[in-house]
Amino acid sequence: MRAKSARFITSAAKASDFPPPEGKEIAFAGRSNVGKSSLINSLVGHDGLARTSRTPGRTQLLNWFAVDPPAVVKAPALAFVDLPGYGYAKVPIAMRAGWAGLIESYLKDRPALVGVVLLIDVRRGAEAEEQDLAAWLVERGLPLIGVVTKIDKLAKNKREPVLSQVKRDLGLKRLPVGFSAQDGDGVDDLWRAIAKVVAPA
Ligand code: GTP
Ligand code: MG
């Protein structure tokens, strides 16, 4: 499944540039290069919508997209927010702190935000940053959807143990979604998880 429609709204490098909300927002958080932009493109079925890159740390802004979910998931129009990737070693420490502050101010002070999709690279697993962020989100009562990206890099019979480990490491209520932008794995499951958060039954 894919979104009925999607369009870019705007980017922001500072809190005073955040746009007025157009609906409920779902944010996508994760390490630089984890596959956030690729995942958003897969969900909306639009290859070039969120910019992807082989150069980690390219998306240094928050990017808003207006998204009309697939008809079958019965969710209202919403916005996806592609957060800047953290943990990119080549960025100066001062700049890293600035990004963290920007992400935090978004996650803290955004009433429209109804849930966060936290992406974990299948080859790295959940590290300290992901564990901290997950705990912080749960403390604030924000629904958290775990996703393990680039699952195509792992043979099918080796996937379940990794998903279980990430579930334990992050203290998730359910197994994270195994996702591949390359193969399309996990797109439908993730749409269903998002719909549950946006329009609880
Ligand atoms: P930043 O914006 O720099 O933080 O990165 P990002 O998290 O948006 O990652 P992006 O989607 O740009 O992907 C980073 C790299 O991983 C690109 O080279 C993608 O082609 C690759 N990639 C993303 N998703 C997948 C996937 O599911 N499978 C494989 N094999 N590669 C992927
Ligand atoms: Mg990106």
Side-chain angles (χ1 to χ4, degrees):
M1 58 178 86
R2 43 145 59 200
K4 273 184 272 176
S5 68
R7 71 183 159 81
F8 173 71
I9 300 176
T10 193
S11 299
K14 54 183 197 295
S16 55
D17 290 340
F18 293 174
E22 291 189 17
K24 290 180 179 175
E25 296 182 348
I26 294 283
F28 297 80
R31 201 171 278 287
S32 180
N33 206 44
V34 69
K36 294 177 296 299
S37 301
S38 303
L39 176 141
I40 290 176
N41 287 337
S42 300
L43 286 178
V44 303
H46 185 329
D47 259 0
L49 188 67
R51 254 184 249 166
T52 61
S53 130
R54 279 172 207 284
T55 315
R58 270 280 291 281
T59 317
Q60 299 171 10
L61 307 165
L62 285 86
N63 291 295
W64 276 259
F65 304 93
V67 176
D68 212 356
V72 286
V73 302
K74 294 191 175 66
L78 62 141
F80 282 175
V81 184
D82 191 2
L83 299 176
Y86 54 81
Y88 180 48
K90 285 187 187 161
V91 168
I93 294 205
M95 220 171 138
R96 271 187 256 168
W99 288 2
L102 184 65
I103 295 171
E104 191 179 328
S105 67
Y106 171 78
L107 293 173
K108 255 188 175 161
D109 310 321
R110 190 74 176 175
L113 178 66
V114 295
V116 177
V117 178
L118 176 56
L119 285 69
I120 291 100
D121 191 313
V122 70
R123 293 161 308 177
R124 303 185 69 128
E127 298 173 276
E129 287 91 341
E130 284 79 35
Q131 294 177 19
D132 290 351
L133 183 54
W136 190 88
L137 292 168
V138 169
E139 222 171 89
R140 275 163 188 73
L142 265 172
L144 171 64
I145 301 169
V147 172
V148 174
T149 61
K150 309 189 188 183
I151 199 85
D152 53 272
K153 293 194 184 279
L154 213 58
K156 287 212 163 95
N157 61 351
K158 295 193 171 136
R159 294 178 185 179
E160 207 282 332
V162 174
L163 297 177
S164 296
Q165 185 66 48
V166 169
K167 175 175 186 267
R168 277 195 295 279
D169 288 345
L170 296 183
L172 299 173
K173 285 192 202 132
R174 50 184 70 229
L175 217 56
V177 176
F179 195 93
S180 169
Q182 193 177 285
D183 300 346
D185 284 343
V187 171
D188 291 5
D189 285 348
L190 183 52
W191 262 123
R192 281 189 279 266
I194 290 171
K196 245 187 219 164
V197 167
V198 176

